[in-house]
Amino acid sequence: MHLYDLWFIAIAVLWIGYFFLEGFDFGVGILSRFLARNETERRVTINTIGPVWDGNEVWLLTAGGATFAAFPEWYATLFSGFYLPLLIILLALIVRAVAFDYRGKGETDRWRRNWDHCIFWGSLIPAFLWGVAFGNIVRGVKLDEDHHYVGTFFDLLNPYALLGGLVTLSLFTFHGAVFLALKTTGEIRTRANQLSIKLGAVAAVLAVAFLVWTQAERGTGWTLATSVLAALFLVGAIAVSFRVREGWAFVLSGLTIIAAVATLFLGLYPDVMPSTIAPENSLTVQNAAATPKTLGIMTWVAVIFLPLILLYQSWTYWVFRKRIGVEHIPAAV
């Protein structure tokens, strides 16, 4: 195995980690507008992700940085061709981050309501657009012989990519509902569990359609195996939600995301960005990779620092592992 193959796997793992972790806090941000029935309950839902949401975004920064260093051609083509949707995602994430910090700084209902809208849209827009982006990466885009994207923004809004956006949106919202059921008490826990079953059914229909389409377009034996696993994990998550087994439901919903994202990367390899104009215009793990020396240095850096990051983030989740309910929210003065 070459170093560029190893780094393709590493980047896939980083994106899997990001979607697994950021997926549920996107879901919580979306559901905070509907699941909570008053200000106290809304504070409960937001507080479930308060200590961890910013740490989850480290995976995005690491995935982007690793792509820049390991596959500079891929990074350049991706960020120039997908400039507008990625800019929208970035702005949504910035607004969302500000909203988490500022919603509690004012005392009026209007102030909090405006920031709640920011949390909702700042969660929903990236949850949808990440699926659109990865749908286009797997399907392929218009790349010329110089590996430049020559399509338009509206070319990215094709049926396959839009279906991918609906899949990530529904899966992340389902993942968030399961996480809320796991992390809360009382009525919020009950409503989150009941809602997760409905959201899981919607996600299952969309995900099966998307994975079947992916298998038809870029399928292999490996993608078939991971697609079947993703479907089984999702059905299992819904089934255990019926039995109010939140821990198992969260594990299975997370495994669904892992298997689904693995399917995309397995279907993509050895390309990193296929060309729909001509196969020889495609970016691959070989022609998009950095020099062997760069990849070697990156490998040593990853070996040293990645375990430290995993250890710190695991400790954070352990410290804030307990459930939270309305009884833990102090009354407004």
Side-chain angles (χ1 to χ4, degrees):
M1 177 182 290
H2 297 283
L3 280 177
Y4 49 72
D5 296 313
L6 179 63
W7 273 98
F8 179 84
I9 296 172
I11 289 171
V13 170
L14 290 171
W15 279 108
I16 287 172
Y18 174 66
F19 287 144
F20 179 93
L21 296 171
E22 190 85 304
F24 70 73
D25 69 50
F26 281 152
V28 172
I30 294 168
L31 293 173
S32 64
R33 288 290 300 156
F34 304 106
L35 194 66
R37 294 180 176 174
N38 53 53
E39 171 61 17
T40 302
E41 290 188 350
R42 191 160 292 115
R43 289 175 63 187
V44 169
T45 60
I46 293 174
N47 284 354
T48 61
I49 59 173
V52 298
W53 69 266
D54 49 352
N56 294 342
E57 292 189 350
V58 170
W59 290 78
L60 173 61
L61 299 175
T62 308
T67 304
F68 173 77
F71 299 99
E73 286 264 9
W74 184 14
Y75 183 93
T77 301
L78 177 63
F79 278 77
S80 59
F82 290 29
Y83 179 81
L84 183 56
L86 291 177
L87 177 62
I88 294 172
I89 290 174
L90 177 61
L91 291 176
L93 292 176
I94 291 172
V95 169
R96 180 173 177 264
V98 172
F100 281 131
D101 286 334
Y102 273 72
R103 81 173 302 275
K105 305 298 183 183
E107 298 180 357
T108 66
D109 291 338
R110 182 179 179 181
W111 173 274
R112 288 190 290 266
R113 185 167 58 249
N114 288 337
W115 288 117
D116 287 340
H117 283 300
C118 291
I119 292 173
F120 172 76
W121 289 108
S123 301
L124 185 147
I125 290 173
F128 176 73
L129 287 183
W130 279 129
V132 174
F134 271 86
N136 279 292
I137 292 172
V138 173
R139 172 182 176 270
V141 293
K142 296 178 179 179
L143 298 183
D144 64 14
E145 61 274 9
D146 296 319
H147 303 145
H148 295 157
Y149 177 67
V150 293
T152 67
F153 170 73
F154 294 101
D155 289 329
L156 302 177
L157 304 179
N158 56 80
Y160 177 79
L162 292 174
L163 178 59
L166 292 176
V167 170
T168 52
L169 176 60
S170 59
L171 277 179
F172 292 167
T173 309
F174 168 66
H175 198 37
V178 172
F179 180 77
L180 282 173
L182 176 66
K183 287 289 292 180
T184 58
T185 63
E187 293 185 8
I188 303 177
R189 175 187 178 185
T190 301
R191 290 200 299 270
N193 188 74
Q194 293 172 347
L195 184 59
S196 69
I197 297 170
K198 299 175 183 177
L199 291 170
V202 174
V205 173
L206 294 171
V208 167
F210 182 73
L211 291 174
V212 169
W213 196 341
T214 302
Q215 185 66 25
E217 292 286 336
R218 297 187 62 90
T220 65
W222 287 106
T223 59
L224 178 60
T226 52
S227 296
V228 171
L229 283 175
L232 292 175
F233 289 143
L234 183 53
V235 171
I238 299 170
V240 296
S241 292
F242 270 109
R243 302 183 62 182
V244 198
R245 301 289 297 274
E246 293 101 339
W248 279 109
F250 182 72
V251 169
L252 289 169
S253 67
L255 288 173
T256 301
I257 293 174
I258 291 172
V261 179
T263 299
L264 297 182
F265 276 93
L266 287 169
L268 183 62
Y269 183 84
D271 294 332
V272 293
M273 186 168 284
S275 172
T276 57
I277 295 178
E280 60 270 20
N281 295 348
S282 299
L283 283 169
T284 68
V285 292
Q286 189 169 5
N287 65 23
T291 63
K293 182 177 182 179
T294 299
L295 296 176
I297 294 172
M298 288 177 60
T299 302
W300 282 109
V301 171
V303 168
I304 294 171
F305 289 102
L306 185 59
L308 298 177
I309 295 173
L310 293 174
L311 182 63
Y312 171 76
Q313 194 160 29
S314 299
W315 175 78
T316 303
Y317 276 92
W318 174 256
V319 170
F320 296 101
R321 66 189 182 277
K322 294 183 179 180
R323 293 179 182 269
I324 183 173
V326 294
E327 65 274 14
H328 300 112
I329 302 297
V333 179

